[in-house]
Amino acid sequence: MSFVVDQVRRIDAQLDRFQLSSPVPTPASPILRSASGASQAFTSDGNQARVLARITELQTVIKSLSTASSSQPLVSSTQLERLIEQGALTRQTLAEDHEGEEGAAYKRGLEWLLISKATTQTYGIILNTLLEQTIPLSDDIWYWDEVLGSYAYSGLYTIQTSPLRFWNWSKDIYGDARTRLDSLRTNNVEERPDSKSLSDKWRQFYGLVKDSIRDRSIADMRLQAMSPLTLSRAEVRHKQKHLKRLRELSASGLGVLMDEALTFDPEEEDSVTSKDRSDIRDKEEWKNIVAKSVALMETVLRNVTILETGVSEFEDTVFTNVEEDPEIVHSEEETFSRPAILATKLQQILAVHLPSHIAATKNLSRQYGRPSFSTRYWFPATILLLSSSTLLRIFFNRRAEILTWIQELGATTKDFWYNWVVQPVKKILGTIRHDKDSEIAIMSKESLQGDRASLERMVVDFAVDNSSKSEGHPLSEADIIEVRAKVREGDLTPVLKAYERDLRRPFIGTMRGDLVRALLIQIQKTKVDVEVAIGGIDALLKSQELVFGFVGLTPGVLVCLGTFRWLSGSLGGRKGKSKGKKQGRMIRVLRNIDRILTAATPSNNGMLSYKEHGLLLCEVHVLRQNGQQVLPGEINREFLEEINDLVDFRTGVERQIRVVERIRWAYSKWLY
């Protein structure tokens, strides 16, 4: 959806309210009233069947044109033409319908409602057409800015367009030589054509071509003093100038239609169902507005592609032609033929003016827009074509190596996936389930217990042997239990005392004492201490086993994510743009909107000009389309309210600038 759909629905609702305020023969609305209700209004037996058939036909067409009766508010131009023809709003049909009929006023109201809804649909189609043709022009203008901003790009453009320039130059030379040849044949009418041989004719034509080239070189002497790069840049500036003029005219036409076409008095929306409805019925100003809008749409389509006129001249021409239209605007008498005139105008717009406008705009865009795909890429395509034989020969000579590279690449990818992704995931799952095979261990579980039991036996045996020597009586069972308990706590007092005693006389202690035995026991104690420390480290590693598993999985996951993102970004194309790019586009569009509003020259009532309003509508349309893809549902509904405030030209430029500022801070979370 866009603001065009909102505008069409708003106008359609206004037309329904106007029709409700019109005099009808029954209290029911002519749109919703059934055929049975109509039969009660008209009692003439002779015309009843024809009247009912005509009313039913008009109501069917009106329902098809109503925006509330379908999920698609806008119908296609072909379908709209068919519906207008189905309404049979011709002079002859209307004259037959209104000759001496009691229901003439009622059917005239239905006919006006039909033509008004058809005008609204045509209005929406033209607005969409202008939008779709104006927005891409900014991309082409930006392309020419890129070409002019770099001499490298300008040189590339010169190479890209060199075949076209040579072709145009050749056609001019050939046309001039052919003109000279026809002139010679005309002057020498008495000379028979068969009197000259083929070689003489070719020699004559070749001489004419040389003369044409020489004359052309003399005529283009001023251009020959300029380099091809300078000529190309001048050509680019010329094309960019015309594109900007086309965009300004299209934006001005869009602004004129939005501001002037089908603009009913806002106060009438509340008064049509109140005490002021009688004044509206008397004046019936809305019918004049519909007629004027038809003339306005026709005039805009006919003049919007004339690049020789400026924006001000275009606007003056549009309003002058509308005011001078004798068939629509100056038809003061409310006769039955006026809807037929409007129907004919709408059919001409849909069948003639709109296709002509689309074709003219496409032709101008093709003439002044960026070069075609074949023009931009013929040079690299030619290089690729000329080098294709060499590339094929290289591939053929190295096919075995290429196959080996492909196989190794596949094997490497498979091994990487299994060793760095699958295996770490299995280990993590095993750690979560406490599998024995997944536990981290520096030493075996039984190693510390065996060494500690051996140390206890060594110390107990040493204490028993030394007690009988030093004290003369063996240790009791209670003493042995105490020694074992102290050894478990790391206390080796019996061994250390003997060790200190033997150190006083090391030689005798080594030969006759227990110095060597005490040293060996202390070595065993050191081994146990080391194993206790390693056991602490082992417990620490086991407590962080899941962390180490995720650390081992991280490199593989990062490489896989990077590869997948690169592939998705490379293969996705323009449709696969990331959300960040759309946010950046929205920021640039907001910047363009701010430039339009701040650089605008408001009128006396503080509103934008038609051209500036049209440019603002184009940028707002792009902003709205991107907002639907970036913002969440409930936030987007609030964003649409801001958009509606932004496009409301009646509020003035100052308020529109404040709306832009509010959008920036209110939706900064989704924009930045």
Side-chain angles (χ1 to χ4, degrees):
M1 289 181 58
S2 65
F3 68 88
V4 176
V5 176
D6 297 339
Q7 180 80 350
V8 170
R9 284 178 171 170
R10 182 183 63 81
I11 295 173
D12 189 77
Q14 288 178 333
L15 293 175
D16 290 339
R17 282 191 286 268
F18 291 148
Q19 186 64 19
L20 287 173
S21 66
S22 300
V24 293
T26 64
S29 172
I31 304 173
L32 303 176
R33 190 183 55 180
S34 63
S36 60
S39 63
Q40 298 175 3
F42 307 106
T43 59
S44 177
D45 296 334
N47 297 329
Q48 182 177 355
R50 186 166 60 89
V51 169
L52 289 178
R54 179 59 177 166
I55 289 176
T56 303
E57 182 182 22
L58 291 174
Q59 289 177 342
T60 302
V61 177
I62 290 171
K63 185 176 180 181
S64 300
L65 292 173
S66 179
T67 59
S69 62
S70 174
S71 58
Q72 281 291 97
L74 293 178
V75 300
S76 63
S77 58
T78 305
Q79 184 180 1
L80 182 56
E81 281 187 79
R82 181 179 58 80
L83 290 174
I84 295 176
E85 292 178 1
Q86 184 179 348
L89 297 178
T90 61
R91 293 176 183 266
Q92 181 179 357
T93 304
L94 296 179
E96 293 176 356
D97 287 345
H98 295 285
E99 271 188 9
E101 277 194 8
E102 298 177 8
Y106 172 57
K107 284 197 294 185
R108 185 160 52 246
L110 288 180
E111 291 161 358
W112 267 106
L113 183 61
L114 188 151
I115 205 66
S116 301
K117 287 184 176 289
T119 302
T120 304
Q121 291 287 337
T122 306
Y123 175 71
I125 292 173
I126 293 176
L127 287 182
N128 270 335
T129 302
L130 290 175
L131 269 179
E132 293 171 358
Q133 293 176 342
T134 305
I135 292 175
L137 295 178
S138 300
D139 296 333
D140 290 344
I141 294 174
W142 176 84
Y143 177 82
W144 294 130
D145 285 334
E146 289 289 313
V147 174
L148 292 174
S150 171
Y151 280 95
Y153 288 161
S154 299
L156 180 61
Y157 171 77
T158 304
I159 296 175
Q160 291 172 343
T161 56
S162 56
L164 291 177
R165 286 196 297 273
F166 179 75
W167 173 253
N168 293 330
W169 179 81
S170 301
K171 286 198 304 182
D172 293 341
I173 295 299
Y174 176 79
D176 185 60
R178 192 63 182 266
T179 303
R180 292 170 183 260
L181 182 61
D182 294 340
S183 177
L184 287 177
R185 288 177 179 177
T186 303
N187 295 332
N188 300 328
V189 292
E190 298 179 356
E191 184 179 356
R192 295 191 320 174
D194 298 337
S195 61
K196 291 185 178 181
S197 62
L198 182 61
S199 60
D200 293 337
K201 292 180 181 179
W202 175 251
R203 191 178 299 107
Q204 182 183 20
F205 182 75
Y206 181 70
L208 294 176
V209 170
K210 291 176 62 177
D211 293 339
S212 299
I213 294 175
R214 184 179 62 253
D215 295 343
R216 179 109 181 169
S217 300
I218 295 174
D220 297 340
M221 188 70 68
R222 180 177 58 86
L223 297 179
Q224 291 179 359
M226 304 171 65
S227 65
L229 185 63
T230 305
L231 293 176
S232 297
R233 291 176 65 86
E235 179 184 354
V236 168
R237 293 189 185 94
H238 175 74
K239 291 183 176 181
Q240 188 184 45
K241 176 182 177 182
H242 283 76
L243 274 184
K244 290 182 178 179
R245 177 64 60 82
L246 178 60
R247 184 181 66 171
E248 291 176 354
L249 290 176
S250 300
S252 179
L254 184 62
V256 167
L257 292 180
M258 281 292 297
D259 297 351
E260 302 296 337
L262 297 175
T263 53
F264 306 104
D265 188 357
E267 296 179 357
E268 291 184 1
E269 296 185 14
D270 299 329
S271 62
V272 292
T273 56
S274 62
K275 61 182 181 180
D276 296 332
R277 65 171 62 184
S278 59
D279 295 335
I280 298 175
R281 287 201 305 267
D282 294 339
K283 297 179 180 179
E284 293 188 341
E285 295 179 355
W286 67 275
K287 296 180 181 180
N288 295 328
I289 294 176
V290 171
K292 183 178 179 181
S293 300
V294 173
L296 189 65
M297 290 186 290
E298 181 185 11
T299 307
V300 167
L301 289 178
R302 284 187 313 193
N303 295 275
V304 74
T305 55
I306 303 177
L307 301 185
E308 289 77 12
T309 60
V311 174
S312 301
E313 186 178 353
F314 163 75
E315 294 173 358
D316 295 340
T317 302
V318 168
F319 290 115
T320 301
N321 291 342
V322 170
E323 294 297 331
E324 295 177 355
D325 193 325
E327 293 184 349
I328 295 179
V329 178
H330 290 169
S331 180
E332 299 295 341
E333 298 181 359
E334 186 62 30
T335 62
F336 62 85
S337 63
R338 200 175 184 193
I341 296 175
L342 295 178
T344 304
K345 286 284 186 180
L346 289 177
Q347 289 176 327
Q348 290 178 352
I349 290 174
L350 295 172
V352 179
H353 298 304
L354 185 61
S356 300
H357 166 75
I358 294 175
T361 304
K362 288 183 178 179
N363 185 33
L364 292 174
S365 299
R366 191 182 307 111
Q367 181 179 358
Y368 300 113
R370 72 175 69 187
S372 62
F373 181 85
S374 58
T375 302
R376 296 198 305 270
Y377 295 103
W378 73 266
F379 186 64
T382 303
I383 295 177
L384 182 62
L385 181 63
L386 295 177
S387 60
S388 59
S389 59
T390 303
L391 295 176
L392 290 176
R393 186 164 53 252
I394 292 174
F395 289 149
F396 183 78
N397 294 335
R398 295 180 175 270
R399 63 184 183 279
E401 297 180 6
I402 294 174
L403 291 176
T404 303
W405 293 343
I406 295 174
Q407 292 174 357
E408 291 180 352
L409 177 61
T412 302
T413 304
K414 179 181 177 181
D415 293 341
F416 172 80
W417 176 258
Y418 184 77
N419 296 328
W420 289 93
V421 179
V422 177
Q423 283 293 346
V425 170
K426 288 183 177 180
K427 291 180 180 179
I428 291 174
L429 295 177
T431 302
I432 295 174
R433 291 190 294 237
H434 293 285
D435 291 345
K436 294 182 178 180
D437 298 335
S438 65
E439 292 183 356
I440 302 174
I442 300 177
M443 64 180 184
S444 63
K445 296 180 179 179
E446 305 298 332
S447 176
L448 178 59
Q449 297 178 3
D451 290 339
R452 182 174 289 174
S454 176
L455 179 62
E456 290 180 4
R457 290 192 298 271
M458 289 181 182
V459 175
V460 170
D461 293 341
F462 185 86
V464 170
D465 294 341
N466 277 275
S467 64
S468 59
K469 291 180 182 180
S470 60
E471 300 178 3
H473 57 85
L475 294 176
S476 63
E477 190 65 27
D479 295 334
I480 293 175
I481 293 174
E482 183 181 359
V483 171
R484 288 181 184 276
K486 290 183 177 180
V487 170
R488 291 191 187 98
E489 296 175 358
D491 187 3
L492 302 181
T493 301
V495 178
L496 295 177
K497 286 182 178 181
Y499 179 71
E500 293 171 358
R501 185 179 62 248
D502 291 338
L503 279 179
R504 296 173 185 171
R505 289 179 292 177
F507 183 74
I508 296 175
T510 302
M511 298 300 295
R512 299 174 56 187
D514 298 320
L515 183 60
V516 176
R517 189 179 178 185
L519 286 173
L520 294 176
I521 292 173
Q522 292 187 65
I523 291 174
Q524 181 67 17
K525 174 64 169 57
T526 304
K527 181 181 178 182
V528 171
D529 292 340
V530 171
E531 289 181 353
V532 170
I534 293 176
I537 298 174
D538 194 21
L540 180 62
L541 292 177
K542 288 181 180 179
S543 66
Q544 302 296 323
E545 188 174 0
L546 191 61
V547 176
F548 289 118
F550 280 107
V551 170
L553 180 63
T554 300
V557 172
L558 291 178
V559 172
C560 292
L561 287 177
T563 304
F564 290 152
R565 290 192 63 180
W566 178 78
L567 289 176
S568 62
S570 301
L571 303 179
R574 298 189 67 179
K575 292 184 179 179
K577 287 183 178 181
S578 63
K579 191 174 181 179
K581 290 184 178 180
K582 292 184 176 62
Q583 292 172 339
R585 180 71 183 274
M586 291 183 68
I587 294 174
R588 292 194 298 272
V589 171
L590 282 175
R591 174 252 184 193
N592 294 337
I593 293 175
D594 188 79
R595 289 187 72 243
I596 292 173
L597 295 176
T598 54
T601 304
S603 58
N604 295 331
N605 51 8
M607 296 190 299
L608 293 172
S609 63
Y610 296 123
K611 182 192 75 173
E612 292 161 347
H613 190 201
L615 293 175
L616 177 65
L617 291 175
C618 294
E619 299 294 340
V620 168
H621 178 76
V622 177
L623 183 65
R624 179 169 180 167
Q625 298 298 323
N626 285 275
Q628 292 178 354
Q629 302 175 0
V630 173
L631 301 176
E634 65 280 0
I635 303 300
N636 187 50
R637 286 191 292 270
E638 298 175 359
F639 183 72
L640 292 181
E641 296 179 0
E642 306 292 348
I643 293 297
N644 293 333
D645 293 341
L646 185 59
V647 298
D648 190 0
F649 69 97
R650 294 170 299 182
T651 59
V653 178
E654 295 296 330
R655 183 174 176 182
Q656 289 174 307
I657 293 176
R658 289 198 296 269
V659 171
V660 174
E661 295 176 354
R662 184 167 66 245
I663 290 176
R664 282 176 174 167
W665 65 258
Y667 303 94
S668 59
K669 176 182 177 181
W670 296 274
L671 294 179
Y672 301 98

